Amino acid sequence: MRMSRDPRSIAAYIALVASLAVFGMQLRTLYTVPVFDAARWGGDETWLMREFVHQAQHGVLIYPESFGEPVRTNGVLAGSMWGNAVIYGVPGIIFSPRFDYVSIGRTVTAILALLLIGSLYFIARSLKISSILSAALVLLMVLSQGFVWATHSTRYDLLTGLVLIWYCYYLSTIKLPSSRQLFFAGFIGISSICFSPHLLTISLGASIAFLLSIRIWRNPARLISWILGSVSAVAILSIAYVIGSGEFSLFGHGGTTGIFSFVLSEVPILRPFSRNVQLSNLQERFHLIHSDLPGIITLVAISIFLILLLGVRLRQMRSIAEALQIGIAQKQKFFLLCTALCTLSWLLLEGSRPYYLFHIAPLLLIGFGILIERMQESLPLRWFEEMAVIFFIIVPTVVGTPYIIPNSVLGASIAHDQQAAVSQFLRDARSTTSQKSRILFDVAGLDRALMDTSSQVLTLDMFQPPAKAEALVNKLR
């Protein structure tokens, strides 16, 4: 098949190649920037990898090196990440201790980032977004600081955004749903927490959009099928959780610092009548988008400009028939509704932590892409797409690239010094008896310490040690 010689298609290929080239340059600092277990997710990387590895090995999501508190479980809502146990945990089992856990996890995340790039373009094109605009959306995502941080981390934030857009795409393909399709739609909606507990709330918008689009209230049998699918998923996840942990709870047992105690305290919807909380939440989200993914602000500005122009044109129309030409495909309409409702869930049902941005960012890019595509097709502005080529490709690439290619000099130095220091410390602390040395480690260098299987490494991460020194020593003994 011959490649199209259309200038727009050629420009789209150039944009995709540029995106992959920039992504490749970003990966050169994958294992050095930011410092392991540092930046915005202090301790998260090793902690999450150990949990996923433990779930893959023993069927329960717990932190095996915990110290200072009783062993705790995470409950069905946060302890059912079987997808992550496979995606992150199995590679951790295979390649550790030859490689440290964070390096393994970041490699997995980098692969997921490549899948996200391809998925974003594929879904955008499937929704009839032009090739050049689809490629521009990919480039805007790659040319963002938030994408670098999300890629260079052993966290499942990119995976959350990836699963969300595919869940929305799956729902958009169901036109005249049968009882079986509705059963699977409900089943998949609940089962998405296997990849991220955040999908239980953020994908709620997509589920509501789907039920509204098929007018579920008109057919009780369909509603029952969807409910049965959801209940079946809950039952299977609960049974799997009980088998692995030996107990049943929604939020987990043991320990004083549960995974939901600090997460729920940040959810804005719990304080709906607090003006300060809601304004602060909006301000934090805006500053987050401005710093980590400013391309969305650009898309908002272009969308508003086109909508205003469209309003002027509608006033000039003389017939309803002419107005009806400004249509929108059912899939596009559904995705726009998903974008609006999922964004609302992100705003009100999630905390404003920086790494949560890419839970919703891919869907936002697709949503604004649809809006811009429909607006510019409905306006006599055929030059818009050509001007967008220049703006979205040349300007961001030239201006943005130097700022999203991390400098690895400091990170490489810290990694080298940390490796040397940890290795020396473990050699000095090695027991002269047949018993393994018990070493209490802080977050910094923990992933390196766990590579030494001749010692038993413990950590206080997310746990409170005994207040008195004697109790601390007794605990170690």
Side-chain angles (χ1 to χ4, degrees):
M1 185 174 69
R2 298 178 61 183
M3 186 178 72
S4 174
R5 295 183 179 180
D6 177 48
R8 297 176 185 173
S9 298
I10 295 175
Y13 294 136
I14 293 174
L16 289 175
V17 171
S19 300
L20 293 175
V22 172
F23 178 61
M25 289 187 286
Q26 292 171 348
L27 291 184
R28 292 186 301 178
T29 61
L30 181 64
Y31 306 116
T32 54
V33 179
V35 177
F36 288 1
D37 288 309
R40 297 184 290 190
W41 44 83
D44 273 12
E45 295 186 278
T46 301
W47 167 51
L48 287 171
M49 279 297 294
R50 290 299 293 132
E51 286 199 324
F52 296 147
V53 166
H54 194 276
Q55 185 169 21
Q57 289 178 321
H58 305 288
V60 58
L61 188 75
I62 61 173
Y63 188 57
E65 281 77 37
S66 62
F67 169 74
E69 287 269 356
V71 175
R72 65 176 175 84
T73 55
N74 287 312
V76 177
L77 296 181
S80 299
M81 288 190 280
W82 300 101
N84 288 346
V86 174
I87 295 173
Y88 284 98
V90 171
I93 295 172
I94 295 173
F95 296 106
S96 175
R98 183 180 179 185
F99 300 97
D100 64 273
Y101 283 117
V102 179
S103 295
I104 297 169
R106 289 193 180 186
T107 302
V108 173
T109 305
I111 296 173
L112 292 174
L114 185 61
L115 291 176
L116 179 59
I117 290 173
S119 298
L120 183 63
Y121 184 79
F122 171 82
I123 292 177
R125 292 293 292 134
S126 299
L127 294 171
K128 307 302 181 182
I129 299 177
S130 64
S131 59
I132 182 57
L133 184 53
S134 299
L137 296 176
V138 172
L139 190 59
L140 281 177
M141 181 181 70
V142 174
L143 288 173
S144 66
Q145 178 177 280
F147 183 75
V148 178
W149 294 129
T151 304
H152 291 54
S153 71
T154 305
R155 283 187 52 87
Y156 48 89
D157 301 303
L158 283 182
L159 180 60
T160 303
L162 179 62
V163 172
L164 180 62
I165 60 174
W166 276 108
Y167 177 57
C168 293
Y169 180 77
Y170 165 72
L171 294 179
S172 71
T173 61
I174 304 176
K175 297 180 181 179
L176 297 174
S178 62
S179 296
R180 178 182 297 181
Q181 287 177 315
L182 283 166
F183 178 89
F184 280 111
F187 186 89
I188 293 173
I190 298 297
S191 300
S192 62
I193 66 169
C194 289
F195 302 97
S196 171
H198 299 279
L199 285 170
L200 188 63
T201 55
I202 199 170
S203 66
L204 180 64
S207 298
I208 293 175
F210 173 69
L211 296 178
L212 291 175
S213 65
I214 64 173
R215 294 175 173 84
I216 193 70
W217 59 88
R218 293 185 176 181
N219 193 330
R222 290 182 176 182
L223 180 59
I224 292 173
S225 297
W226 183 82
I227 292 175
L228 285 176
S230 302
V231 171
S232 298
V234 172
I236 292 175
L237 292 175
S238 299
I239 293 171
Y241 177 80
V242 171
I243 292 173
S245 64
E247 60 94 7
F248 177 79
S249 60
L250 290 179
F251 303 107
H253 288 158
T256 58
T257 309
I259 192 170
F260 284 95
S261 61
F262 59 91
V263 173
L264 291 178
S265 64
E266 297 182 348
V267 175
I269 194 62
L270 296 181
R271 286 173 283 181
F273 303 109
S274 174
R275 178 175 174 272
N276 290 335
V277 169
Q278 301 306 324
L279 288 178
S280 176
N281 178 47
L282 293 175
Q283 290 174 354
E284 288 178 359
R285 308 288 176 142
F286 175 79
H287 290 308
L288 172 61
I289 292 175
H290 182 266
S291 61
D292 279 16
L293 191 53
I296 288 181
I297 298 177
T298 303
L299 294 178
V300 171
I302 294 175
S303 299
I304 293 174
F305 171 72
L306 292 176
I307 289 173
L308 292 176
L309 285 182
L310 182 60
V312 174
R313 187 190 176 198
L314 287 173
R315 289 187 176 182
Q316 297 173 347
M317 289 180 178
R318 298 181 179 179
S319 66
I320 298 179
E322 187 178 2
L324 290 176
Q325 294 177 3
I326 307 176
I328 182 168
Q330 184 62 33
K331 271 190 177 183
Q332 294 178 332
K333 183 179 179 180
F334 176 76
F335 251 84
L336 286 177
L337 184 58
C338 281
T339 302
L341 295 180
C342 289
T343 302
L344 189 63
S345 297
W346 177 71
L347 284 172
L348 298 178
L349 300 177
E350 279 197 347
S352 57
R353 291 176 178 267
Y355 36 80
Y356 291 170
L357 173 61
F358 268 82
H359 294 179
I360 194 67
L363 186 60
L364 276 174
L365 289 170
I366 293 175
F368 281 113
I370 293 173
L371 191 60
I372 291 174
E373 180 72 22
R374 297 309 305 165
M375 293 301 102
Q376 67 93 16
E377 283 188 358
S378 304
L379 291 165
L381 298 172
R382 301 313 303 170
W383 50 268
F384 171 79
E385 203 165 356
E386 286 73 12
M387 296 300 293
V389 172
I390 298 175
F391 179 81
F392 283 126
I393 298 179
I394 299 178
V395 177
T397 304
V398 173
V399 176
T401 301
Y403 299 97
I404 45 80
I405 305 297
N407 190 324
S408 64
V409 175
L410 178 61
S413 299
I414 293 176
H416 179 270
D417 293 345
Q418 190 181 75
Q419 179 67 54
V422 170
S423 299
Q424 182 63 42
F425 174 77
L426 292 175
R427 284 195 297 269
D428 295 342
R430 191 162 293 152
S431 174
T432 57
T433 65
S434 59
Q435 293 183 341
K436 287 186 177 182
S437 299
R438 284 186 173 180
I439 302 174
L440 188 60
F441 235 84
D442 198 356
V443 173
L446 177 61
D447 63 298
R448 314 284 186 183
L450 290 172
M451 296 176 68
D452 186 349
T453 58
S454 63
S455 303
Q456 182 181 2
V457 177
L458 305 174
T459 178
L460 299 176
D461 186 29
M462 291 191 70
F463 294 90
Q464 291 294 326
K468 296 182 179 180
E470 293 182 0
L472 180 62
V473 174
N474 289 333
K475 197 77 176 179
L476 277 172
R477 289 175 178 171

